[in-house]
Amino acid sequence: MRLKLSLEESEMVLAPHLSKLTSSIKKGFTDYMDLVGYDCYSKERIITFNSRTKATLIQNLILERIKENFANVPGVACKEYKGVFGLLIGNQIFIRFNKFNKRLEPAKAKTTQSKKFEKQQTVIKGFPRKPMFLYAGYTFTSSMTGIGSIHLALRVKGHQEWIKELFNGLAIQQPIANLTPVIEKPAKRVRVKQTVQIQQAS
């Protein structure tokens, strides 16, 4: 029977690996930006790809970083099962990696295999039988120049049972926007100076 861990139980199993997992996804995207920005004839030119190609490139580069960073981690198997790459952690959790849409759901089209994955079925040929299946999902910023967020999610029969935010790049940018009204303060200082001059004149 497949394990079904609560969010708290999952966090205990995953805690030693969350930082490495998050940094691998961010570095994979950095690799993509380095790739599309490269042009041997003109450093100012950005190579243009369609959205599908971009998503595939980013996914492949993220998986390469995952393989590299988890290659020698004890208790973690980094491999492909029936064409689906993932991390098998402590024989308790199997994580696959996907781009998430705005609803924080896997963006890929539903396949027979992905439906079985989300149903947490006990038998999927070629997959480990015991671990619980999780998604590590990532979104992009609106400008497609960075990772917008990274989440871990347990999906059961097409619905999120729980979801945990690991990174939110948009939240880091928010305080910068809030500083804009501070620019108005110098105008108040000018009025104070004028008041002082009137008093001196009298």
Side-chain angles (χ1 to χ4, degrees):
M1 186 173 185
R2 191 171 300 285
L3 289 173
K4 188 176 179 183
L5 306 176
S6 67
L7 174 57
E8 292 75 18
E9 291 169 328
S10 300
E11 285 179 328
M12 289 180 65
V13 176
L14 295 168
H17 311 293
L18 291 182
S19 176
K20 193 181 292 288
L21 190 151
T22 302
S23 65
S24 296
I25 293 174
K26 290 193 287 186
K27 286 177 181 176
F29 190 89
T30 301
D31 292 340
Y32 159 77
M33 291 301 292
D34 290 342
L35 174 66
V36 297
Y38 175 75
D39 181 3
C40 59
Y41 298 105
S42 171
K43 292 182 180 180
E44 296 179 357
R45 178 175 169 237
I46 299 293
I47 300 172
T48 304
F49 297 105
N50 62 40
S51 298
R52 190 172 185 176
T53 302
K54 287 179 183 178
T56 301
L57 282 171
I58 294 167
Q59 174 81 353
N60 289 345
L61 291 167
I62 286 173
L63 297 189
E64 285 303 312
R65 284 293 186 174
I66 293 289
K67 291 175 188 176
E68 175 186 313
N69 292 333
F70 284 92
N72 301 308
V73 177
V76 177
C78 186
K79 59 189 295 186
E80 192 172 284
Y81 297 90
K82 298 297 285 185
V84 176
F85 173 84
L87 289 178
L88 180 59
I89 300 177
N91 286 323
Q92 292 180 281
I93 294 174
F94 180 82
I95 303 175
R96 67 182 297 183
F97 299 84
N98 279 95
K99 177 183 177 295
F100 273 10
N101 58 28
K102 292 180 180 179
R103 296 185 300 275
L104 299 180
E105 300 170 342
K108 284 188 175 181
K110 299 293 183 184
T111 63
T112 301
Q113 191 181 70
S114 66
K115 288 176 181 177
K116 288 181 177 181
F117 192 93
E118 288 194 7
K119 287 178 180 178
Q120 300 287 321
Q121 290 192 2
T122 55
V123 178
I124 300 179
K125 188 176 180 181
F127 275 78
R129 293 196 175 194
K130 188 180 178 183
M132 180 175 71
F133 292 148
L134 295 182
Y135 284 97
Y138 50 89
T139 64
F140 306 133
T141 58
S142 57
S143 59
M144 197 78 176
T145 55
I147 292 290
S149 65
I150 301 172
H151 291 82
L152 271 178
L154 169 62
R155 292 180 59 79
V156 179
K157 297 182 179 179
H159 300 284
Q160 306 282 39
E161 184 146 321
W162 57 254
I163 186 165
K164 176 180 176 61
E165 184 179 275
L166 303 182
F167 170 76
N168 190 341
L170 299 176
I172 296 171
Q173 297 174 14
Q174 188 62 36
I176 298 172
N178 291 338
L179 292 177
T180 305
V182 176
I183 299 171
E184 301 295 330
K185 285 187 177 180
K188 293 180 180 179
R189 291 176 184 170
V190 171
R191 292 194 194 99
V192 171
K193 288 179 180 179
Q194 289 175 346
T195 304
V196 172
Q197 288 173 356
I198 292 169
Q199 289 175 348
Q200 289 174 348
S202 62

